[in-house]
């Protein structure tokens, strides 16, 4: 039986045309809006070990062409509420693994 884990990866391009790869940790759909928790993927193992462990929450939006894009959240209250929901979901996931 193959129990191999394959992460969902996404590559984003910033304003300076630099590519950044992230693992999609989880997704929350709320009020017809979709939010992703993203964790950076590092090419260098040492960078991964030295990382702060922070993840990013992005909103999935449709651009004028109808294609999905990711946008940063400006609403601090929404960001805090989503972070709490993601944290609870992460804790639940890890509790299930421990059993």
């Amino acid at each position: 039986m193959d129990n191999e884990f394959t992460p969902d990866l996404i590559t984003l391009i910033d304003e300076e045309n630099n590519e950044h790869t992230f693992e999609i940790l989880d997704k929350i759909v709320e009020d017809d809006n979709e939010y992703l928790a993203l964790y950076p993927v590092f090419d260098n193992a040492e960078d991964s070990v030295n990382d702060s462990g922070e993840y990013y929450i992005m909103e999935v939006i449709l651009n004028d062409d109808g294609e999905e894009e990711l946008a940063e959240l400006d609403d601090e209250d929404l960001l805090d509420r989503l972070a709490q929901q993601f944290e609870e979901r992460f804790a639940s996931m890890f509790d299930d693994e421990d059993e």
Side-chain angles (χ1 to χ4, degrees):
M1 185 161 138
D2 187 12
N3 288 333
E4 212 170 296
F5 172 74
T6 305
D8 290 328
L9 300 179
I10 187 170
T11 300
L12 303 178
I13 300 172
D14 66 18
E15 298 84 21
E16 298 166 355
N17 281 336
N18 297 314
E19 291 187 356
H20 304 275
T21 303
F22 294 88
E23 179 181 353
I24 300 172
L25 299 175
D26 199 3
K27 171 177 71 171
I28 290 176
V29 177
E30 181 178 287
D31 298 327
D32 295 326
N33 296 316
E34 185 175 320
Y35 304 96
L36 300 177
L38 305 175
Y39 186 75
V41 174
F42 300 97
D43 294 330
N44 181 334
E46 186 174 324
D47 290 341
S48 182
V49 169
N50 293 328
D51 182 61
S52 65
E54 290 184 15
Y55 62 92
Y56 301 90
I57 299 174
M58 306 287 280
E59 181 178 9
V60 179
I61 60 170
L62 293 179
N63 65 18
D64 294 335
D65 297 325
E67 296 177 6
E68 288 184 347
E69 291 184 358
L70 296 180
E72 293 183 39
L73 297 174
D74 293 328
D75 183 335
E76 289 295 322
D77 291 334
L78 174 61
L79 186 60
D80 289 343
R81 190 167 38 85
L82 289 168
Q84 182 178 358
Q85 290 178 31
F86 278 120
E87 293 292 330
E88 289 170 0
R89 291 166 62 109
F90 296 153
S92 174
M93 283 184 229
F94 290 117
D95 285 345
D96 291 344
E97 287 179 5
D98 290 341
E99 291 176 2

